[in-house]
Amino acid sequence: MMLRLPRVPMRPTALAALAFSISVAVATAREVAPRPAPAELTSKLEALAKAHKGKVAIALKHLRTGESFALDADVPMSTASLIKFPVMIEVYRQAAAGKVDLGSTVTLRQEDKVPGSGVLTDHFSAGATFPLVDAVHLMIVYSDNTATNLALDAIGIGSTAATMEKMGFPETKIHSKVYRRDTSVFMDRSKKFGLGSTTAADMVKLLELLDAGKLVDEKSSAAMRKHMLACDDKDKFPRFLPPGTKVAFKTGSVDDARTCAGIIETRGGPVALCVLTDENEDQSWKPDNAGNLLCARAAKEVYDFFSARAEESPESK
């Protein structure tokens, strides 16, 4: 049984592998010097965070002007499925280095199936085969837990954390397979944070590298961004945005945490935004969960501010 999904072709070459360098990627990103975001926007974001019943961290950066805001942005927080974004980065890094082949076939086994989000466990039979790149697509678009574990089988559980640390993001780690705490390579962090951990600042920096085409290389960055543009979680960033707004993002949800990070295309230019929540009082699984609403309202404030300013002053784009 073959699972066929829209694919982003990737043909790794020796040149691409040689060109990839983590340190160079960080150093040569399209750096825009940060400067404080206007108080009109930051006061609204601070008010949203203060009203939330739970822990909150927020970071944003306008990727053309450098306007930035941070609220507890360097505090390690639980990611839930948001950590699948760095996992995708590691898959593409290994593909560029020739360690894995995005077109190689993976086979779904009955013992691979885990509960939670996604389509593989409930809708596909053991024995289904599909390319690794399609497992990545399922992992990002539908947050498929089983697909995530298949990707981790291909790259190794500890490789994502190792790469993030080399890039300067030591707090960004996936600790184990999804729903497989017994596979944890960071047991203490698993007990504290669950599946993964990061900071809001780390997420925004990774998004900045993605926008600059420096996550692995330009072709890989474009492919990863395409996966994220198809993310189907409509309860967080896209919720209150105008129809058709482009948002390249990934989210996470567990009982007491809701997370979201992505690039929002405002009329005033692209903005990288990350909202992390944890220890939330509202642990419901309804669309109006307080964590979902905080993510959605923060995205709306960011979109509205930069879009309105662009209409008033087109040169600010």
Side-chain angles (χ1 to χ4, degrees), residues 236-247 264-265 296-304:
K236 298 184 180 70
F237 281 1
R239 183 174 187 145
F240 299 132
L241 302 183
T245 301
K246 290 185 178 181
V247 187
I264 302 171
E265 297 288 345
R297 287 168 177 156
K300 185 178 189 301
E301 294 292 357
V302 168
Y303 180 89
D304 287 350

Side-chain angles (χ1 to χ4, degrees), residues 24-69:
V24 171
V26 174
T28 61
R30 180 169 40 197
E31 293 284 359
V32 179
R35 57 191 179 95
E40 178 185 348
L41 173 61
T42 62
S43 62
K44 290 180 178 179
L45 294 175
E46 288 171 347
L48 287 174
K50 185 177 181 179
H52 182 72
K53 296 178 180 179
K55 293 176 60 178
V56 178
I58 300 175
L60 74 83
K61 184 173 184 179
H62 191 294
L63 298 176
R64 299 296 175 265
T65 67
E67 291 163 292
S68 303
F69 169 74

